[in-house]
Amino acid sequence: RGGAADFTELIFSASPIVKAVMGLLLLFSVISWGIILFKWWTFRGIEKHSSTFLDVFRKSAKFSEVQAVCPSLAASPLVGMFQAGYAELTAQLRLPPREPVSPGTPAPRPTLKSLTAVDRALLRASSIEVSKLEKRVTFLATTASITPFIGLFGTVWGIMTAFMNIGAQGSTDLAVVSTPIAEALIATALGLFAAIPAVYFYNHFTSKVKGYASEMDDFALEFLNISERNFT
């Protein structure tokens, strides 16, 4: 209990500059943990919805059946890709045939005018979905890179204060310099406290995003294969 009280006293007795550094580091840490919890919850929902969506997609005989379940699985980036590809597919199939049909002749089977256009629609949707997945993750990289230096600035300032106290009192006694140095080291500790989890979760989420991007590439190929088999 005494150690905790001494630690709290060190924080409140720090110089205004060191207090400002500590407050800034605490702010970075709080925002980072908010992003970490939000992304963890979001990615958990993505994995659950993507798994369900792929099951429906591979078992359904018609794209219209898949489209019907999309609103309930909106967290999955595959849903956004499917809807973009399905919209392009539907737009092309609704176009009138290039050659007029004679009266009494059965209407020809609708065919795709351009499979490349469907591929472009899927690619554009994939880029949008990856951007959504990466949103706010870059703040973790910023936190990981900048907070150690902010903490170091607080440490340097505290050590400067310690040496100024030595000069002002003309004494090198440990009691004179220990408190300012301890205050300075708290800034470094807070900087590391903010940076270490930010580094870990930035790498973790970046790896997750790469995995989702690879899954989207595989889905795009699967969608194109089905479209080519049935509509060309």
Side-chain angles (χ1 to χ4, degrees), residues 53-64 66 82 86 89 93 109-110 112 115 118 122 218-232:
F53 174 78
L54 284 175
D55 286 342
V56 173
F57 178 77
R58 287 165 180 163
K59 291 177 181 176
S60 298
K62 297 179 181 179
F63 279 168
S64 57
V66 182
F82 172 81
Y86 183 69
L89 203 68
L93 295 177
R109 184 174 69 93
L112 282 177
L115 191 64
V118 178
L122 291 170
D218 292 342
F219 175 78
L221 294 175
E222 194 171 347
F223 187 97
L224 290 171
N225 286 341
I226 294 173
S227 301
E228 188 173 18
R229 270 198 310 268
N230 292 283
F231 304 110
T232 59

Side-chain angles (χ1 to χ4, degrees), residues 1 9 35 104 145 210 222:
R1 184 179 298 176
E9 186 179 347
I35 292 172
S145 60
K210 287 180 181 178
E222 194 171 347

Side-chain angles (χ1 to χ4, degrees), residues 41-229:
W41 182 259
T42 300
F43 287 172
R44 185 181 176 186
I46 285 172
E47 290 170 4
K48 187 183 297 184
H49 281 200
S50 291
S51 176
T52 305
F53 174 78
L54 284 175
D55 286 342
V56 173
F57 178 77
R58 287 165 180 163
K59 291 177 181 176
S60 298
K62 297 179 181 179
F63 279 168
S64 57
E65 296 175 359
V66 182
Q67 175 66 15
V69 302
C70 284
S72 62
L73 301 172
S76 172
L78 302 180
V79 168
M81 286 188 66
F82 172 81
Q83 289 180 322
Y86 183 69
E88 177 62 30
L89 203 68
T90 304
Q92 289 194 37
L93 295 177
R94 284 176 178 170
L95 292 175
R98 294 178 182 176
E99 298 179 0
V101 180
S102 303
T105 305
R109 184 174 69 93
T111 58
L112 282 177
K113 307 300 184 288
S114 173
L115 191 64
T116 305
V118 178
D119 187 21
R120 284 197 298 267
L122 291 170
L123 184 61
R124 185 169 57 251
S126 175
S127 298
I128 292 171
E129 295 298 329
V130 169
S131 296
K132 289 180 184 177
L133 293 172
E134 291 177 338
K135 192 175 182 181
R136 298 187 181 94
V137 173
T138 51
F139 184 84
L140 298 179
T142 301
T143 299
S145 60
I146 200 173
T147 50
F149 292 104
I150 295 174
L152 182 61
F153 170 77
T155 298
V156 171
W157 189 272
I159 291 174
M160 286 171 54
T161 303
F163 281 113
M164 290 171 64
N165 288 343
I166 292 173
Q169 299 186 22
S171 172
T172 58
D173 186 61
L174 187 61
V176 176
V177 297
S178 60
T179 300
I181 290 177
E183 294 170 0
L185 293 177
I186 290 174
T188 299
L190 285 176
L192 295 175
F193 177 79
I196 292 172
V199 170
Y200 174 81
F201 282 103
Y202 172 76
N203 291 331
H204 176 70
F205 291 144
T206 300
S207 176
K208 284 278 190 184
V209 171
K210 287 180 181 178
Y212 295 141
S214 177
E215 187 178 40
M216 285 188 277
D217 290 341
D218 292 342
F219 175 78
L221 294 175
E222 194 171 347
F223 187 97
L224 290 171
N225 286 341
I226 294 173
S227 301
E228 188 173 18
R229 270 198 310 268

